[in-house]
Amino acid sequence: MRASKQTGERASGPLPGEGGRIGGGGFTLIELLTVIAIIAILAAIGAGLAGVAMRKSKESATRAELAKLTTAIESYRNDFNQYPPDNVVRTQSGSYVNAAINPLYYELRGTVSLNQGRAYRLPDHDEELSASVIKRVFHRGGFLNSVEAPDTPKSYLSEVKARQLAEVELAGVGHVDLLAAPVEWPVNQAALRDRAPLRGLVSDARQLRINPWHYVATNPTNNLNSFDLWADIWLGREFKTIGNWNN
């Protein structure tokens, strides 16, 4: 009688994990790990390229709106022989321009004057903005591009999309309309949230996401003979200023 094999005797051929093929004719463990590593590298490259594409898309959208607003402002100047007024704040120690809270939307859109300038409204809105609120917010008695009812003012904005306009609820004042950049302000980090243009001005913290176009026509820094118009947008790791003085 043939003697039986001893218990624990190892069968011939390599075991899985020792360079052999899994499942008989499949990939070795080393080959599988290599494939997984390659897939991970390709996924990382793809994610990086997607991030670059997203940043370029945000920048392109902002520059496109900047170009449209610049054209509208220049058309306004041709008619009024001056650029739209900005928001000059005068104090006992001097004056400065509040670039973020500006009346640019009202000037480019045009308003209807009511009750001999005691209130104003947009042509397609019933809600009125009193002269006292305009004085508190924009430090002006009214708007330059304005007509008496029933006339219709000239609009320098061909169309205003929802993302371009922000209804801002200012603390203790009420709501005003501001032109907003297409890229929201980042509020997911406290350090960035504290730098929001509307920090300390809005009554609703959710509105810190609004990223208004900044506008200066009084002694502009970059375009000495015209105006400065810009927005700071977050591109994932840093801010980039998109303005009418850089390309």
Side-chain angles (χ1 to χ4, degrees), residues 160-197:
V160 180
K161 299 179 181 179
R163 69 175 187 178
Q164 296 174 291
L165 182 63
E167 294 186 357
V168 180
E169 193 72 23
L170 297 176
V173 177
H175 99 265
V176 296
D177 295 329
L178 299 178
L179 288 170
V183 181
E184 292 184 338
W185 191 269
V187 295
N188 56 328
Q189 300 179 34
L192 300 178
R193 187 166 57 250
D194 290 342
R195 294 173 57 186

Side-chain angles (χ1 to χ4, degrees), residues 87-97 135 139-140 218:
N87 187 0
V88 179
V89 183
R90 293 177 173 82
T91 65
Q92 293 181 348
S93 58
S95 63
Y96 66 93
V97 176
K135 184 68 174 178
H139 301 89
R140 303 187 62 84
T218 303

Side-chain angles (χ1 to χ4, degrees), residues 3-154:
S4 60
K5 293 184 178 180
Q6 295 181 357
T7 304
E9 182 179 349
R10 174 175 170 175
S12 61
L15 292 175
E18 296 183 333
R21 298 187 176 275
I22 298 175
F27 291 104
T28 66
L29 182 58
I30 294 177
E31 289 172 337
L32 285 175
L33 292 175
T34 301
V35 171
I36 292 172
I38 293 174
I39 292 174
I41 292 172
L42 292 176
I45 294 174
L49 292 176
V52 171
M54 179 64 70
R55 291 192 291 272
K56 287 186 176 296
S57 176
K58 290 180 178 180
E59 183 175 344
S60 296
T62 306
R63 290 193 183 280
E65 290 195 14
L66 172 67
K68 292 180 181 179
L69 290 176
T70 299
T71 299
I73 292 171
E74 291 293 349
S75 297
Y76 180 107
R77 179 179 180 273
N78 290 337
D79 289 342
F80 288 90
N81 200 32
Q82 70 170 74
Y83 289 110
D86 50 14
N87 187 0
V88 179
V89 183
R90 293 177 173 82
T91 65
Q92 293 181 348
S93 58
S95 63
Y96 66 93
V97 176
N98 186 336
I101 306 296
N102 59 72
L104 194 56
Y105 173 68
Y106 294 98
E107 292 292 349
L108 295 180
R109 183 68 178 82
T111 60
V112 177
S113 175
L114 306 172
N115 299 324
Q116 298 180 341
R118 293 185 178 88
Y120 294 80
R121 66 171 176 81
L122 296 168
D124 52 355
H125 287 67
D126 294 329
E127 186 175 358
E128 299 178 4
L129 197 63
S130 69
S132 60
V133 169
I134 296 172
K135 184 68 174 178
R136 289 180 62 187
V137 176
F138 301 122
H139 301 89
R140 303 187 62 84
F143 300 117
L144 184 59
N145 182 16
S146 181
V147 297
E148 294 283 346
D151 293 340
T152 301
K154 180 177 180 179

